[in-house]
Amino acid sequence: MPRIAFLACPATLPGSPTRRSDAFEHDLQLAALRQGLGSRTEVADIDWRAPLEHLVRFDLAILGTPWDYTEAKDEFIARLEALEAAGVVVANPSEVVRWNADKLYLQDLASRGAPAIPTLWPEVPGPADIHAAFDHFDCERVVVKRRVGAGAIGQDSFRRGDAGIATWRTAQPAMIQPFLPAIQSEGELSFIFIGGELSHALIKRAAAGDYRIQSLYGGSEVALDPAPADREAAAAVMAMLPFAGPPLYARIDMVRLESGKLAVIEAELIEPYLYPQQGPDFGKRLADAVLARLA
Ligand SMILES: Nc1ncnc2c1ncn2[C@@H]1O[C@H](COP(=O)(O)OP(=O)(O)OP(=O)(O)O)[C@@H](O)[C@H]1O
Ligand SMILES: [Mg+2]
């Protein structure tokens, strides 16, 4: 019977003393996969930093919830490469992770024609970069976020004249974008693709007074039957991914610009939450796509 590893980390593993409050996402995603696979395979959640001799006993390793990879990107990629060298199928593979771990990939997508959010990419931005961004974008509010990051950690939003700008510091390469008001009106749209096919879509909204849609900050989501044009916009981004075949999973996150067009805010290929509760066929689709990779 094939053995599948669901790669996780101390922030998500059940029973871990440092488990995060939003680690229920780990439980739901793993349960959907297990339900889809039934008795056809064995699935275990395991820390991606577990001894290599434990990890190489698996036939396939899914990037499940290794949320802390953003603090150790190179170590994470090296670990995936070691698994691949030992014959373990890694999904999504290290090649995909190398491209997707740094949000600079958004420039790559834009150059392929994807509708993009205007972005400044100062290497390590300081207050002067933030002040300059208001004029550059001709806007009243901006968002500063890490190039290698997730869960809105290390992210800030400023309005023109905010006192906090003067003392803002980061040690990380970052990016600055105009604040998109559609986040708070319509929300952020997510399109979940399994094996290259659209599995389901949903809309994520922030809690009152916040603009971050993640559950950690009180955000919530509902299933969405997307308009044909929006569906096509997400599928077009999928078609622009620079890999030979479709990834095991992908979450294309989009936000509407003032023009009415959806722009890609992220193409998540590493450890996105795939919102199993909004996708009635999700577990079966994921299981079938996993088994296809083992065949
Ligand atoms: N330009 C923007 N305008 C308005 N809100 C934004 C903007 N950029 C990001 N946000 C908000 O911050 C959240 C986190 O940003 P983003 O998704 O780009 O980074 P992330 O930290 O990689 O997130 P995750 O991996 O959890 O999806 C978004 O889901 C959205 O709610
Ligand atoms: Mg996001």
Side-chain angles (χ1 to χ4, degrees), residues 42-119:
E42 208 179 291
V43 186
D45 45 356
I46 182 166
D47 193 342
W48 65 270
R49 286 187 171 97
L52 197 59
E53 60 266 32
H54 292 187
L55 292 172
V56 296
R57 287 188 208 132
F58 293 92
D59 300 288
L60 183 144
I62 294 189
L63 310 189
T65 55
W67 291 351
D68 59 0
Y69 88 89
T70 54
E71 313 308 316
K73 173 170 81 74
D74 295 339
E75 183 190 349
F76 183 61
I77 293 173
R79 180 38 71 99
L80 301 182
E81 286 170 344
L83 290 177
E84 287 165 347
V88 180
V89 178
V90 176
N92 289 327
S94 62
E95 175 202 11
V96 170
V97 174
R98 215 175 297 112
W99 180 82
N100 193 233
D102 186 327
K103 287 193 171 73
L104 268 183
Y105 73 79
L106 289 167
Q107 289 184 357
D108 195 8
L109 287 178
S111 73
R112 289 162 197 265
I117 301 171
T119 305

Side-chain angles (χ1 to χ4, degrees), residues 103 151 188 204 213-214 251 253 265-266 268:
K103 287 193 171 73
E188 180 176 312
K204 307 179 290 193
I213 52 69
Q214 285 83 358
R251 194 184 84 203
D253 288 340
I265 179 166
E266 283 189 281
E268 293 253 24

Side-chain angles (χ1 to χ4, degrees), residues 122-155:
E123 224 358 79
V124 181
D129 297 292
I130 298 174
H131 286 302
F134 294 108
D135 291 332
H136 179 86
F137 296 128
D138 189 21
C139 69
E140 294 303 312
R141 189 174 176 187
V142 296
V143 175
V144 192
K145 49 191 178 184
R146 285 169 52 168
R147 266 170 43 190
V148 179
I153 288 160
Q155 180 178 308

Side-chain angles (χ1 to χ4, degrees), residues 82-277:
L83 290 177
E84 287 165 347
V88 180
V89 178
V90 176
N92 289 327
S94 62
E95 175 202 11
V96 170
V97 174
R98 215 175 297 112
W99 180 82
N100 193 233
D102 186 327
K103 287 193 171 73
L104 268 183
Y105 73 79
L106 289 167
Q107 289 184 357
D108 195 8
L109 287 178
S111 73
R112 289 162 197 265
I117 301 171
T119 305
L120 287 171
W121 305 90
E123 224 358 79
V124 181
D129 297 292
I130 298 174
H131 286 302
F134 294 108
D135 291 332
H136 179 86
F137 296 128
D138 189 21
C139 69
E140 294 303 312
R141 189 174 176 187
V142 296
V143 175
V144 192
K145 49 191 178 184
R146 285 169 52 168
R147 266 170 43 190
V148 179
I153 288 160
Q155 180 178 308
D156 269 301
S157 174
F158 295 108
R159 289 185 173 78
R160 245 184 229 268
D162 274 351
I165 300 173
T167 52
W168 193 80
R169 294 284 178 279
T170 181
Q172 308 268 351
M175 51 200 281
I176 310 177
Q177 297 180 331
F179 181 88
L180 300 178
I183 280 279
Q184 285 176 313
S185 47
E186 181 180 21
E188 180 176 312
L189 279 62
S190 283
F191 298 83
I192 315 295
F193 290 85
I194 304 297
E197 301 279 327
L198 182 67
S199 163
H200 57 291
L202 55 132
I203 195 146
K204 307 179 290 193
R205 293 195 181 89
D210 208 309
Y211 71 99
R212 299 163 300 180
I213 52 69
Q214 285 83 358
S215 59
L216 194 57
Y217 312 106
S220 57
E221 54 280 332
V222 287
L224 169 76
D225 182 13
D230 292 347
R231 192 184 286 256
E232 279 161 32
V237 174
M238 275 300 288
M240 289 171 202
L241 298 179
F243 310 108
L248 173 68
Y249 59 62
R251 194 184 84 203
I252 307 297
D253 288 340
M254 306 194 82
V255 185
R256 207 169 301 279
L257 303 175
E258 264 170 59
S259 67
K261 262 174 66 169
L262 285 182
V264 55
I265 179 166
E266 283 189 281
E268 293 253 24
L269 305 173
I270 301 180
E271 36 76 71
Y273 184 46
L274 297 169
Y275 298 93
Q277 291 181 305

